Amino acid sequence: MTVLDALLYARDHIDHSIAIRFSCRQASCGSCGVKINGRPRLACYTQVNELGSDRVVVKPMDNFEIIKDLVTDLGTFFDKHKEMVPHLVRSDATEQDHPTGEYLMKPDELEEILQFTYCIKCGICTSSCPTVATDSKYPGPQALTQAYRYTADERDEGGDQRIPTLDTVHGVWRCHFAGSCSAYCPKGVDPALGIQLLKRYVLEGKGPRGPGEGAKVSERPRGSSKP
Ligand code: SF4
């Protein structure tokens, strides 16, 4: 039995008013982040018997406004995510409108960003961050990690839209490398590492990538099975 199963049992048989957000039940959607026996976790990804306790205490995540019971308001969290321009930016407009092939990546280029693509935006890292707790303007580990994920992507040319907004007193320098984000992430992402790598981009000025310096379009037509 997972903690989510237990909560739904309690809601069905003991107190119909219990509010909890959930969807996939398989640690894919990131909806059921809560604090279980003092640690932020996904309720669907936590077995009751692995807690080693007769008493399971479930509370809403820290660092978020509470809507009701265990349901927290993720609105600001997603706003900060969107401020990082979390998508690939390209300047080759003609290719975008009339694609002729695929943007190729080398395996080592993919390796540089792969773990950061596993983020399910559950908010657990943000709920555990001591800087988020004291600075409401700080983007938080999830948003900063996604800024790194897209800026480091060889196919992207949008670093100049992200990096300048992070080189501020409330930006990337507010991270003091406490590391709790990485300790609690249920998907094995290391946001603390992503933020440190992002600092290197800001310091070395490698964020803005000039037009045409990103990944090149392959000559192979999109959808072709030929190598
Ligand atoms: S980095 Fe990990 S803890 Fe943070 S939002 Fe993404 S999946 Fe959740």
Side-chain angles (χ1 to χ4, degrees):
M1 173 178 271
T2 67
V3 171
L4 178 60
D5 291 333
L7 287 167
L8 295 178
Y9 182 91
R11 191 185 66 176
D12 290 346
H13 298 279
I14 301 170
D15 182 349
H16 297 323
S17 76
I18 294 174
I20 176 152
R21 179 170 47 218
F22 69 99
S23 182
C24 73
R25 301 182 184 220
Q26 57 174 17
S28 293
C29 73
S31 300
C32 64
V34 288
K35 201 161 71 170
I36 302 170
N37 286 2
R39 288 186 51 165
R41 295 169 178 262
L42 292 177
C44 76
Y45 202 49
T46 305
Q47 298 289 325
V48 171
N49 64 7
E50 81 183 26
L51 295 171
S53 170
D54 291 339
R55 189 160 182 261
V56 179
V57 178
V58 186
K59 295 184 177 181
M61 289 192 293
D62 291 329
N63 294 346
F64 291 97
E65 295 291 323
I66 299 169
I67 296 175
K68 185 175 187 292
D69 298 337
L70 301 173
V71 179
T72 45
D73 186 353
L74 299 180
T76 303
F77 173 77
F78 283 114
D79 286 344
K80 291 179 175 178
H81 173 70
K82 283 186 272 188
E83 286 170 9
M84 296 301 127
V85 195
H87 54 82
L88 297 179
V89 176
R90 297 288 302 188
S91 58
D92 46 0
T94 304
E95 177 64 24
Q96 300 299 298
D97 292 339
H98 305 285
T100 60
E102 300 175 7
Y103 293 110
L104 300 180
M105 297 182 81
K106 297 174 186 155
D108 59 323
E109 293 170 348
L110 175 62
E111 188 63 32
E112 197 171 330
I113 62 166
L114 184 60
Q115 65 151 308
F116 304 109
T117 70
Y118 295 150
C119 173
I120 57 172
K121 304 166 192 65
C122 63
I124 283 177
C125 55
T126 296
S127 80
S128 69
C129 174
T131 303
V132 171
T134 55
D135 184 349
S136 62
K137 294 181 180 174
Y138 178 61
Q142 188 279 337
L144 291 174
T145 300
Q146 292 307 295
Y148 172 76
R149 176 255 176 274
Y150 286 100
T151 303
D153 193 312
E154 287 298 318
R155 300 165 296 177
D156 180 77
E157 297 170 350
D160 54 346
Q161 295 181 32
R162 305 184 192 97
I163 297 301
T165 67
L166 301 175
D167 193 11
T168 70
V169 68
H170 297 291
V172 71
W173 308 114
R174 286 287 279 132
C175 172
H176 299 159
F177 207 18
S180 55
C181 51
S182 301
Y184 294 131
C185 175
K187 301 301 287 186
V189 181
D190 188 350
L193 172 64
I195 296 171
Q196 306 320 303
L197 294 173
L198 186 62
K199 287 178 179 176
R200 191 175 65 186
Y201 271 95
V202 175
L203 274 179
E204 297 181 355
K206 289 183 178 175
R209 189 175 285 127
E213 294 177 18
K216 301 294 185 296
V217 178
S218 70
E219 294 181 355
R220 175 161 58 93
R222 197 179 291 271
S224 168
S225 59
K226 294 179 181 175

